[in-house]
Amino acid sequence: MEPYPYWSGVVVASRRTTLGRERPIGGQGPLLQSVSQQLLTLVVGTLGGSLGHVSGLPAGPLLGAIAAVGALNLLANDRAEVPVWLAVTARMLIGAVIGSLVTRELMGELGRTVAWALLFAVIVIVVGLGAGVMIHRVTGLELRSAMIGACPGGMPEMAALAQEVGAEVDVVLGMHLVRKLVALSVIVIALVVAA
Amino acid sequence: MSEPVSIALTLLTALVGGTLAHTLRLPGGAILWALLPVAALRLVVDGFVPLPSEHRVAAQILIGIAIGSTLTRNPVRALRPLVVPVGLSLVVLLSVALMSGVIFAAVTDLPLLTTLFSTAPGGASDMAAAALQLGADVPLIAGFHLVRQVLIFVVLTTVFARLFRPPQEGEVGR
């Protein structure tokens, strides 16, 4: 199987060594192939994410990057590759972004209503976990995936958590996408009615 | 504290916490142990500013790249066998959100519009943008959604740490 499609411009040939191994020639050893793949994946993902961002879609950067890299994977026979440090760095950055939103001013703004905010959060967590267990029992979907998919957390955070704990990321993404679209639709209808 | 110093300290704190968690395989992983020290630092020390929105965009793109490279199915197509139970859980969630908004408005002095936007199970930024158009209390709504998202994340990671063993390399949990 060709490691790269013909249009990518990457030509890999090989010769058989005296030990019977296939050795790539033309300057493309395994390390360089891997680096090239990773670079291509990063560039394509960044372009896709940037397009998603300017599109204004909910979680546009996340969905744009997923769509672009997913398409690359499909077109280039599963050649999308990312360095290990990238996923870990992304998770740290997500954690930093969420943590940075917590400020004394915001807590002050919430004031007495922070108790109601906590109460509501507990309610939706219980409802979400219960729904997750129900979905797991009725459909056989893996429990972690069902719980993360059913709890209404932020989509990038839930996707990152799903990847971290080994859940089915595509199902979790789908469930959150549907939830966001339904909630948005209800809001749009409310806005139209209000206008 | 100047903005560059605030940003640098925030990212450094997240890096230290996240790296420790990843190396020592702490429950909750890099996200939780980047989030908690950053949030604690901001509550204890004055003068921090929120990270610019570009950081959130960059984080989403990086997460999207990592996820996209492993996706084998279209996420919406993956839901086909789950349509009925997922639909049912959405109906329950929306009903609970609506009832909570109405009850909160009744027992507090908050306007109904504000409480409904605060409890709606949509994205925080989407709800805040819509609330802005209708003249609701946007900072309060943003605060409600932030509390929800942070608490959900902390609870889920704690639950998973107790109930499930960490996945092996490349494994999808069962």
Side-chain angles (χ1 to χ4, degrees), chain B residues 71-156:
Chain B
L71 273 189
T72 53
R73 289 182 295 180
N74 180 327
V76 178
R77 218 177 265 173
L79 287 185
R80 263 198 209 148
L82 312 171
V83 164
V84 172
V86 168
L88 195 60
S89 74
L90 264 178
V91 169
V92 169
L93 188 63
L94 283 167
S95 307
V96 166
L98 183 65
M99 276 192 301
S100 301
V102 170
I103 291 170
F104 288 161
V107 301
T108 65
D109 55 359
L110 295 170
L112 179 64
L113 196 63
T114 297
T115 58
L116 285 177
F117 272 113
S118 298
T119 57
S125 47
D126 304 322
M127 298 300 109
L132 191 64
Q133 289 208 4
L134 291 176
D137 191 336
V138 175
L140 193 72
I141 291 166
F144 250 79
H145 284 281
L146 177 66
V147 169
R148 169 174 62 88
Q149 289 183 355
V150 171
L151 200 62
I152 282 176
F153 190 83
V154 170
V155 167
L156 281 183

Side-chain angles (χ1 to χ4, degrees), chain B residues 32-57:
Chain B
L32 186 66
W33 292 97
L35 186 160
L36 290 178
V38 166
L41 188 66
R42 286 166 167 271
L43 286 175
V44 166
V45 177
D46 224 350
F48 278 97
V49 297
L51 286 177
S53 60
E54 291 81 16
H55 289 78
R56 188 174 175 96
V57 173

